[in-house]
Amino acid sequence: MTTATSTRIFSGIQPSGIVHLGNDLGAIQNYVKLQDEYEAIYCIVDYHALTSTHDPNLLRERTRDMAASLLALGLDPERCTLFVQSHRPEHTELAWLLATVTPVSWLERTPTYKEKRETQPDDVNHGLLTYPVLQAADIVMYKATVVPVGRDQAAHLELSREIVRAFNHRYGNTFPEPKAVFTEAPTVLGTDGVRKMSKSVGNTIDVLAPPQVIREEVVSMVTDTQRIKRTDPGRPEVCNVCQLHRFFGEDYLEIQDGERTARTGCVDTKRLLADRIVAHYAPARERYLELMAKPALVDEILAAGAARLAPIAAATMAEVREKMGLR
Ligand code: AMP
Ligand code: TRP
């Protein structure tokens, strides 16, 4: 772990109950890679999750489950810091302070807020509106400059930068502007082949699920909708199954060629993808099951992560309180 603040990175992930292929290809693989290149801090954002999850036991379970999943997928507590957002309650204080430099109009035009108003119209709580301010607080608490995320987070990162500028303008240069970094798969489409893979849509491939579940999810995938008969030539450029093969074998061009020339059928190509995804994630699934059998170990790792961050959070809060005139 390096110590220069200019090379600190931060990312957050909701304890949503599953890790899907979009999370892994779009974000988590970058978390794993970047822990060797930067001082990396990763956060399970349970405060954010409260804007949509209201069952306390479920939230508790999912938080540990997400920790076990991230560790199983390659986060190493020796090389990065993994913690739970609510274990550093300074995040909520900083969010309040940043809220006072954030115009409501910026929050009302955030795409995720507009979406949530549609998807949970009976629960448009204030937390949904202020969600990006808490996200900005997460990042700037540690003065992180690089934020590995999927493309769907680009608008939130833009807003984080605007909040940083507004704060620095009012109170003097305090926070660096964070920037998003993406993987080769910044937007993974779901099994429907149309929408972004997402738990709330229900079009996911759950990478740590039992092999049978993964197979069923992959076999349910929508392929090239214009390829009706087995002998019709396929269009791998629009087929989500063909596109995903890129990430699971060197021979994806050959696979795409097989589809284009109708040498192979969609079902074969899906079965092959299912086999490869199952094989790729088998070691992680094994580690995940081992970790879930040792909840005390997972909790210990999370507690150590939060403790390690205490001095950084304290320093930021002291600086911000001083600059803002709190005594
Ligand atoms: P979430 O589950 O919404 O907290 O997302 C965790 C991380 O996965 C974030 O960085 C997201 O941008 C990323 N992510 C979620 N869904 C996808 C997707 N379908 N494709 C690529 N990245 C994604
Ligand atoms: N909003 C992010 C998501 O839904 C999660 C998140 C919270 C986050 N705080 C963050 C991501 C800080 C990056 C940096 O995926």
Side-chain angles (χ1 to χ4, degrees), residues 13-14 20 22-23 26-27 31 148-150 152-153 185-188 196-197:
I13 188 163
Q14 293 213 35
H20 60 67
N23 296 139
Y31 299 180
V149 281
D152 61 347
Q153 293 299 311
T187 305
V188 174
K196 184 190 76 169
M197 188 176 287

Side-chain angles (χ1 to χ4, degrees), residues 10-14 45 48 85 131 134-135 138-139 147-149 152-153 156-157:
F10 184 97
S11 196
I13 188 163
Q14 293 213 35
V45 295
H48 279 107
Q85 190 182 31
Y131 184 109
L134 179 59
Q135 180 161 350
D138 295 340
I139 301 166
V147 183
V149 281
D152 61 347
Q153 293 299 311
H156 282 159
L157 262 290

Side-chain angles (χ1 to χ4, degrees), residues 15-299:
S16 56
I18 60 153
V19 174
H20 60 67
L21 195 59
N23 296 139
D24 191 45
L25 297 180
I28 298 168
Q29 290 192 2
N30 242 358
Y31 299 180
V32 174
K33 175 169 155 248
L34 296 173
Q35 64 185 341
D36 290 321
E37 294 169 32
Y38 296 96
E39 179 188 347
I41 303 173
Y42 300 120
C43 180
I44 300 167
V45 295
D46 54 349
Y47 283 143
H48 279 107
L50 285 172
T51 57
S52 305
T53 305
H54 305 313
D55 178 335
N57 288 325
L58 198 60
L59 181 59
R60 248 188 299 274
E61 252 169 53
R62 286 178 171 181
T63 301
R64 187 189 285 133
D65 194 282
M66 181 53 79
S69 303
L70 292 172
L71 294 166
L73 287 165
L75 290 196
D76 175 357
E78 301 286 316
R79 290 182 291 152
C80 72
T81 301
L82 177 65
F83 78 113
V84 176
Q85 190 182 31
S86 65
H87 292 177
R88 288 262 54 93
E90 296 94 328
H91 287 233
T92 50
E93 183 188 352
L94 188 54
W96 173 263
L97 301 178
L98 295 180
T100 64
V101 302
T102 308
V104 176
S105 59
W106 291 0
L107 301 174
E108 281 170 339
R109 67 168 199 234
T110 307
T112 41
Y113 174 65
K114 290 198 222 156
E115 239 170 71
K116 287 283 180 177
R117 285 168 59 129
E118 305 289 320
T119 55
Q120 53 183 70
D122 300 329
D123 182 22
V124 187
N125 58 76
H126 181 255
L128 285 177
L129 182 66
T130 203
Y131 184 109
V133 183
L134 179 59
Q135 180 161 350
D138 295 340
I139 301 166
V140 304
M141 180 69 80
Y142 308 102
K143 301 195 177 182
T145 49
V146 173
V147 183
V149 281
R151 180 89 71 207
D152 61 347
Q153 293 299 311
H156 282 159
L157 262 290
E158 183 52 41
L159 197 47
S160 289
R161 280 194 294 280
E162 286 178 309
I163 293 172
V164 162
R165 278 180 226 132
F167 187 96
N168 289 347
H169 180 71
R170 189 175 291 171
Y171 295 107
N173 203 20
T174 308
F175 299 119
E177 288 184 26
K179 74 166 196 294
V181 290
F182 304 112
T183 65
E184 297 286 302
T187 305
V188 174
L189 295 182
T191 49
D192 53 3
V194 186
R195 295 213 268 171
K196 184 190 76 169
M197 188 176 287
S198 154
K199 183 172 178 200
S200 54
V201 177
N203 60 359
T204 58
I205 296 169
D206 305 1
V207 296
L208 298 176
Q212 194 45 36
V213 172
I214 296 182
R215 280 181 210 286
E216 281 162 19
E217 288 167 342
V218 176
V219 168
S220 81
M221 286 178 76
V222 175
T223 52
D224 175 1
T225 48
Q226 284 182 26
R227 190 177 183 198
I228 312 290
K229 296 197 302 290
R230 167 68 182 77
T231 48
D232 290 343
R235 295 171 305 156
E237 58 287 354
V238 300
C239 171
N240 194 21
V241 176
C242 289
Q243 291 304 315
L244 287 180
H245 266 291
R246 298 167 76 92
F247 304 102
F248 295 97
E250 300 288 311
D251 55 350
Y252 69 90
L253 288 175
E254 220 170 287
I255 290 169
Q256 296 194 350
D257 193 58
E259 289 280 305
R260 198 176 285 112
T261 56
R263 206 169 56 243
T264 46
C266 291
V267 176
D268 308 326
T269 311
K270 286 201 260 192
R271 287 209 181 108
L272 182 61
L273 181 64
D275 287 343
R276 288 183 174 184
I277 293 179
V278 166
H280 179 86
Y281 288 104
R285 177 169 161 76
E286 208 171 298
R287 284 194 294 275
Y288 165 75
L289 293 174
E290 277 168 28
L291 286 161
M292 287 306 282
K294 295 182 198 155
L297 173 66
V298 176
D299 292 352

